[in-house]
Amino acid sequence: MTQAPAAPKAVRRRHDREIIALAVPAFGALVAEPLFVMADSAIVGHLGTAQLAGLGVASALLTTAVSVFVFLAYATTAAVSRRVGAGDLQAAIRQGMDGIWLALLLGAAVIAVVLPTAPALVELFGASDTAAPYAITYLRISSLGIPAMLVVLAATGVLRGLQDTRTPLYVAIGGFVTNGVLNVGLVYGADLGIAGSAWGTVIAQFGMAAVYLVVVVRGAKQYGASLRPDAAGIRACAQAGAPLLVRTLSLRAILMITTAVAARLGDSDVAAHQIVLSLWSLLSFALDAIAIAGQAIIGRYLGADDPDGARAVCRRMVQWGIASGVALGLLVILARPLFIPLFSSDAAVQDAALPALVVVALTQPICGIVFVLDGVLMGAGDGPYLAWAMLATLAVFTPVALLVPTFGGGLTALWGAMTLMMTVRMLTLWLRSRSGRWVVTGATR
């Protein structure tokens, strides 16, 4: 790909304003999502250890089920933003409705699977005899909210594609507050125990979905877009999302392998791993916010038949990713002596976590590039390449991670394998971005 001349300062400032306007609210919405689980944990934790343990198992299952379908947000953002760039807002809203209908169908299918298999799923995740009944109760009730959760994902993708990340932030904040109030009222006021926590979350999720639907339906009426399900459109959404599903499953497999290997290293190492992984996840929210901005902006430029603009904003976002990664890495180095004691006072756990956090810190600039280019290629609708690249990364990472217990090095070596994984991702994404094959203009890819 031929290097274009550096963008003038005025153009860079315009790109910066676009990135900030989309990324900052997106970051707020991303951080608000895990607060649901934190609020539930804080409220249920006072009921007893068995209830909290049951919530932990059920939440892990629910989070896995929903995260698998995150492509509903990613694919919808890319498709809608292209049509926005092409100036066809009616088609953009119509595309978004197809994504929402797909979300409802997938949500119904998940409920049909989870309700009868809840006991087996809880047992598979290793819940104790005392925690299992609470996990089953929470899982069965909360599964009823999965269609709403998936609608929220798809509708969030619609609004991101329309270059609106503020509304998802406001809805996320409202949902968090509502969830907290309902949980307290139903768990303690109505004395429903862990079932009250589950019902409170389900009601909050349907409330969020309802707000999104009001916004999308209002847009559909404004631009004359049909609200009826369209089989061809739903099928196209599923086809666009399938490669991103492969990508997401591959990434989940990497995280599961990492945790499984950490468990083989010993109790101190797996405890330290959970601390490091929690920080890694928090840092990912910051970088993912830039990636979300990338999805929306790149799709719009390509839809507007502006390949030079797409390349220029891609370069600028990579600079943002590197700068953010460096800043986050320095923050981790400075804060790690204060961060680790918040989670454990065990000297062995702290000794295992400290050097692993140094590895995490050094990896952040690489992560910044990976998240940004991942978002750029998603915005370009380059899902098949992302799927193959992630499968290749999984193939490289797996044997290296599995050999860590054999060759030693403990948790630090395991997170060194994670650094290798991110480096491989960076190389595959960078090669694709350099090739220019992702630059396909038009209202559809």
Side-chain angles (χ1 to χ4, degrees), residues 36 142 144-146 148-149 152 175 198 200-210:
F36 271 88
S142 292
L144 300 176
I146 287 179
M149 296 167 75
V152 166
T201 301
V202 168
I203 294 169
Q205 288 161 350
F206 270 99
M208 293 171 65

Side-chain angles (χ1 to χ4, degrees), residues 4-12 15 312-313 315-316:
K9 287 184 179 180
V11 175
R12 289 200 301 269
H15 290 159
V313 78
R315 286 193 296 271
R316 190 57 177 165

Side-chain angles (χ1 to χ4, degrees), residues 290-291 314 317-318 320-321 367-377:
I290 304 174
C314 173
M317 281 188 289
V318 168
W320 269 79
C367 294
I369 297 172
V370 168
F371 275 78
V372 165
L373 291 180
D374 204 40
V376 166
L377 297 185

Side-chain angles (χ1 to χ4, degrees), residues 342-403:
L342 294 175
F343 292 85
S344 176
S345 57
D346 188 324
V349 173
Q350 293 184 4
D351 289 342
L354 278 169
L357 282 178
V358 173
V359 176
V360 169
L362 295 175
T363 309
Q364 288 311 296
I366 296 174
C367 294
I369 297 172
V370 168
F371 275 78
V372 165
L373 291 180
D374 204 40
V376 166
L377 297 185
M378 283 185 192
D382 206 9
Y385 181 83
L386 290 172
W388 284 111
M390 203 67 228
L391 286 171
T393 302
L394 175 62
V396 172
F397 169 79
T398 301
V400 174
L402 294 178
L403 287 172

Side-chain angles (χ1 to χ4, degrees), residues 72-136:
L72 287 167
Y74 294 158
T76 305
T77 298
V80 171
S81 61
R82 271 185 177 269
R83 285 163 174 78
V84 169
D88 192 348
L89 291 176
Q90 183 186 68
I93 299 292
R94 175 66 259 178
Q95 180 76 38
M97 285 305 306
D98 292 335
I100 290 172
W101 280 112
L102 176 62
L104 287 170
L105 292 173
L106 291 173
V110 173
I111 289 178
V113 171
V114 171
L115 283 179
T117 62
L121 291 171
V122 168
E123 183 180 357
L124 182 65
F125 265 59
S128 67
D129 291 339
T130 55
Y134 298 110
I136 293 169

